[in-house]
């Protein structure tokens, strides 16, 4: 927890509990039962957020990550004031501009221009400020003639364009974005993230996203929620690693990375693998590792085989194209500088424009590696 004396947002022991009823009439019976002093319970409680505490410093960018149902959106709604905590306190210092639910705050019968003016007015802008910023908002949203059409005629992408353009051009002191940009096209997303990084550098920002690459790129700090509890707060990359470990461990039924298969392969500790001299191997810069003295990958070979060609064929070139039905084998030459307990190896595949589309690692593949002593492994 931060020791910042005057944070933009201070959250202390916040919890949110919902009571869920199987039938509408059970809600009435619960109220009657309580008034009569009876202990019978109708329905059951769901703890969406449990005893969460943290600070967000002025001007920082914090990403909140976690699986669906972990309490991210509930927490944001309590910060913005649309939900009241069951317990705990939230202290917000600054004007909030929030992009929560798609189209939230818009009147479907109003035009895009009218909705912008209404939202800007609600957030405290004067008439002169609203008129001054209107052309900027209109240009950023790129809606063309639809700016003067009712928003009920908008697609989800057009909603996002208008909502984001409005939210970021009303001089927010705190900007909150909850996954809304996920429905926009990739070019508009890039435009939005560039605006957040450059034009809103001094604005306190909270971003909820399932895009871990975005969290790692934009955030100064990352908060990981799991089943309503705060399980990690710290460096974005470490938070992503924790998130991935939790998700893959539960999905594969592995409680911990102990025992199991060995590294195998042709390499042996202290021996140079033939992979290093393979003409099809791609050399990897050891400095790309976060700790190359401890563990790094020096060479990689990708091979493809298919039903009509079962013999692995090395792929070459800067890009490795794959087609449906192929089996791709990746071979790594790993240099281990110190003993590593239960290492996890993985890969990430990107499309031709660099967007991550698929990834996997040894833990998620139910392939647990033994302890590696210093040396070379394939």
């Amino acid at each position: 927890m931060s020791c910042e004396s005057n944070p933009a947002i201070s959250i202390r022991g916040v919890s949110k509990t919902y009571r869920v009823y199987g039938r509408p009439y059970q809600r009435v019976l619960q109220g009657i039962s309580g008034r009569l002093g009876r202990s019978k319970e109708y329905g059951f409680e769901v703890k969406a957020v449990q005893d969460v505490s943290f600070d967000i410093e002025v001007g920082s960018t914090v990403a909140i990550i976690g699986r669906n149902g972990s309490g991210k959106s509930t927490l944001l709604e309590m910060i913005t004031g649309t939900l009241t905590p069951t317990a705990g306190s939230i202290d917000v210092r600054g004007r909030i501009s929030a992009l929560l639910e798609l189209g939230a705050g818009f009147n479907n019968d109003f035009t895009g221009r009218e909705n912008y003016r209404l939202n800007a007015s609600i957030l405290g802008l004067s008439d002169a400020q609203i008129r001054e910023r209107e052309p900027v908002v209109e240009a950023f949203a790129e809606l063309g003639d639809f700016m003067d059409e009712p928003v009920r005629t908008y697609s989800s992408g057009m909603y996002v364009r208008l909502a984001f353009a409005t939210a970021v051009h009303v001089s927010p002191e705190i900007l909150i974005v909850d996954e809304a940009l996920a429905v926009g096209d990739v070019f508009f997303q890039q435009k939005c993230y560039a605006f957040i990084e450059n034009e809103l550098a001094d604005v306190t920002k909270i971003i909820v996203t399932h895009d871990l690459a975005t969290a790692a790129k934009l955030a100064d700090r990352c908060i990981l929620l799991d089943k309503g509890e705060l399980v990690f707060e710290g460096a974005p990359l470490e938070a992503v690693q924790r998130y991935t470990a939790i998700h893959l461990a539960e999905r594969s039924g592995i409680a911990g990375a102990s025992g199991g298969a060995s590294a195998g392969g042709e390499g042996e500790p202290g021996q140079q693998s033939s992979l290093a001299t393979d003409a099809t191997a791609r050399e990897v810069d050891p400095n790309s590792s976060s700790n190359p003295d401890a563990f790094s990958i020096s060479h990689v070979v990708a091979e493809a085989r298919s039903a009509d060609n079962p013999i692995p064929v090395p792929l070459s070139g800067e890009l490795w194209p794959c087609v449906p039905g192929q089996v791709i084998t990746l071979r790594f030459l790993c240099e281990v500088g110190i003993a590593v307990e239960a290492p996890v190896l993985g890969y990430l595949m990107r499309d031709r424009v660099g967007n991550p589309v698929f990834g996997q690692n040894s833990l998620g593949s139910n392939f647990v590696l033994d302890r590696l002593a210093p040396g070379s492994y394939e």
Side-chain angles (χ1 to χ4, degrees):
M1 182 182 300
S2 170
C3 59
E4 174 73 29
S5 59
N6 192 29
I9 300 173
S10 181
I11 296 175
R12 293 290 179 271
V14 167
S15 298
K16 182 64 178 179
T17 302
Y18 295 97
R19 178 166 286 277
V20 180
Y21 300 93
R23 297 286 187 274
Y25 68 83
Q26 292 179 337
R27 186 183 298 272
V28 178
L29 293 178
Q30 182 68 53
I32 296 174
S33 177
R35 288 181 176 274
L36 296 177
R38 296 174 181 174
S39 59
K40 183 174 181 179
E41 295 289 332
Y42 296 88
F44 58 93
E45 290 188 342
V46 174
K47 297 181 178 180
V49 176
Q50 304 181 57
D51 193 25
V52 170
S53 299
F54 60 87
D55 290 338
I56 297 180
E57 295 78 18
V58 175
S60 65
T61 301
V62 174
I64 301 178
I65 62 174
R67 292 172 296 174
N68 289 330
S70 62
K72 305 184 300 298
S73 295
T74 299
L75 180 59
L76 287 195
E77 290 182 49
M78 289 190 289
I79 292 174
T80 58
T82 57
L83 280 180
T84 302
T86 305
S89 64
I90 299 176
D91 185 14
V92 178
R93 302 179 182 92
R95 181 169 60 190
I96 291 179
S97 180
L99 195 59
L100 298 178
E101 193 175 332
L102 184 62
F106 284 175
N107 186 315
N108 280 337
D109 292 324
F110 288 2
T111 66
R113 192 179 308 279
E114 290 168 338
N115 272 291
Y116 154 69
R117 292 173 178 173
L118 176 62
N119 276 262
S121 177
I122 291 173
L123 289 171
L125 269 65
S126 66
D127 289 342
Q129 289 174 319
I130 293 173
R131 288 194 300 271
E132 178 187 355
R133 300 177 193 188
E134 188 171 312
V136 179
V137 171
E138 185 174 2
F140 192 95
E142 300 175 1
L143 294 176
D145 293 338
F146 277 94
M147 191 70 178
D148 293 303
E149 294 294 330
V151 297
R152 66 171 179 267
T153 64
Y154 286 14
S155 66
S156 58
M158 294 166 71
Y159 260 109
V160 167
R161 289 175 182 273
L162 179 61
F164 185 87
T166 300
V168 300
H169 287 96
V170 293
S171 299
E173 295 172 303
I174 300 171
L175 176 66
I176 297 178
V177 181
D178 182 9
E179 203 60 57
L181 295 179
V183 300
D185 64 77
V186 63
F187 300 107
F188 187 73
Q189 287 180 27
Q190 292 172 349
K191 178 180 178 179
C192 293
Y193 291 137
F195 190 91
I196 289 174
E197 284 188 286
N198 301 321
E199 304 300 326
L200 302 180
D202 297 329
V203 173
T204 305
K205 298 174 284 294
I206 305 176
I207 299 173
V208 165
T209 180
H210 288 288
D211 185 349
L212 302 182
T214 296
K217 177 184 178 183
L218 294 181
D220 308 317
R221 196 167 97 255
C222 204
I223 290 170
L224 172 59
L225 297 180
D226 188 55
K227 299 176 182 176
E229 298 181 346
L230 192 157
V231 297
F232 179 80
E233 177 186 1
L237 288 179
E238 188 173 353
V240 169
Q241 291 172 348
R242 298 283 188 95
Y243 170 84
T244 304
I246 291 172
H247 175 66
L248 293 178
E250 291 191 4
R251 191 178 71 179
S252 62
I254 299 175
S258 60
S262 64
E266 299 173 5
E268 296 294 337
Q271 298 179 355
Q272 186 67 20
S273 166
S274 60
L275 187 61
T277 58
D278 192 325
T280 62
R282 288 185 56 186
E283 189 171 354
V284 178
D285 182 4
N287 292 319
S288 63
S289 170
S290 60
N291 190 356
D293 294 332
F295 190 96
S296 65
I297 298 174
S298 64
H299 294 79
V300 180
V301 164
E303 297 173 330
R305 68 179 186 273
S306 55
D308 57 348
N309 187 13
I311 301 176
V313 177
L315 301 175
S316 60
E318 186 63 27
L319 299 178
W320 290 333
C322 307
V323 298
Q326 281 186 323
V327 175
I328 306 298
T329 301
L330 299 175
R331 293 195 289 143
F332 305 92
L333 177 58
C334 307
E335 303 294 339
V336 181
I338 61 175
V340 180
E341 300 291 341
V344 177
L345 297 179
Y347 62 89
L348 178 67
M349 303 185 91
R350 300 178 184 271
D351 63 17
R352 60 185 178 82
V353 295
N355 298 309
V357 293
F358 178 74
Q360 185 56 284
N361 62 31
S362 54
L363 180 60
S365 301
N366 201 15
F367 180 73
V368 184
L369 301 174
D370 285 336
R371 178 180 184 272
L372 296 184
S376 299
Y377 294 85
E378 182 180 339

